[in-house]
Amino acid sequence: MVHRTLLQLKRARIVIPQLSPTLTQVRIHKWLKDPASEIECYEPLFVLQCSPDLLSEAYRKYKTHEPLMLIEAQDEGKLQISPEILESSKRGEWFPVGHFLGTINDDDDDDDDDDNNDAEISGEDTEWLWQAYSYEEEAETDENATDGASSDQKKVDKTAYYAPLGVIELKGLLRYRGLDVGGTTREELIERLVESDNAT
């Protein structure tokens, strides 16, 4: 009698995340992981350049401001990004929210003594889990710059990065930094995060 083994392959579908209710499209500003590499949970995957409608106009640095957001995956496995997506991102093309980019394949390859040649493979696609954080290019900081920006203006700029996040996400960031999460309003939580940014 031949015993056949059923191998479960779980694939998390990577799509452009809905970072805010109003966001429509993004560019991939920077890949942080190589295609076909192994990733672990909570590893950053890429930085997105978002269309201005990520934020309401009142929270933008300027009308056409395109914020950068770092996206990390909360899945682990082998990353697979299609060559077409990589080429399109190199050309700076815009992708709509929900656009399919690739998969994270959780194929536990334990290589037991089973005859894997007789195994049946069953695939299961799941929605990928992600977390987003504001991102700033360090290279953009110029100590000799004479743009006249005041510390208050810079503080408002940082506030804009947290504007799309909800209370749960804001409290999660505060806990991650080891800060008090006693505030009950979004404004209090954002202010505490901005103060933490300015203190570092």
Side-chain angles (χ1 to χ4, degrees), residues 170-188:
L170 293 169
K171 286 187 175 182
L173 284 173
L174 286 168
R175 289 192 188 96
Y176 180 77
R177 298 181 185 184
L179 300 174
D180 177 39
V181 295
T184 56
T185 67
R186 291 181 69 257
E187 290 74 17
E188 290 174 336

Side-chain angles (χ1 to χ4, degrees), residues 12-16 45-46 79 81 99-104 128:
R13 289 171 50 84
I14 305 172
V15 300
I16 298 296
L45 287 190
F46 45 68
L79 181 65
I81 303 298
H99 191 82
F100 176 74
L101 301 178
T103 59
I104 300 172
W128 82 307

Side-chain angles (χ1 to χ4, degrees), residues 3 14 31 46 49 58 70-71 74 76 83 88 90 95 101 117 120 145 153 175 194 197-198:
H3 296 280
I14 305 172
W31 290 96
F46 45 68
Q49 177 185 355
L70 182 146
I71 310 299
Q74 297 187 355
E76 58 184 17
S88 296
K90 286 180 182 178
F95 299 102
L101 301 178
N117 292 328
E120 295 179 358
Q153 287 173 320
R175 289 192 188 96
V194 171
D197 288 337
N198 290 337

Side-chain angles (χ1 to χ4, degrees), residues 50-67:
C50 303
S51 53
D53 56 13
L54 172 72
L55 305 170
S56 62
E57 194 166 339
Y59 285 102
R60 298 177 201 164
K61 292 182 179 181
Y62 43 88
K63 189 173 182 179
T64 58
H65 177 217
E66 297 174 347

Side-chain angles (χ1 to χ4, degrees), residues 118-174:
D118 289 331
E120 295 179 358
I121 298 177
S122 173
E124 177 186 349
D125 287 353
T126 60
E127 182 179 347
W128 82 307
L129 301 176
W130 53 271
Q131 182 65 53
Y133 304 94
S134 63
Y135 181 85
E136 295 183 47
E137 293 277 20
E138 294 183 3
E140 292 179 356
T141 303
D142 185 358
E143 294 181 357
N144 297 320
T146 56
D147 57 4
S150 66
S151 59
D152 287 341
Q153 287 173 320
K154 292 177 182 177
K155 185 173 181 178
V156 170
D157 291 345
K158 289 190 175 183
T159 299
Y161 284 108
Y162 298 112
L165 302 180
V167 171
I168 294 176
E169 290 84 0
L170 293 169
K171 286 187 175 182
L173 284 173
L174 286 168

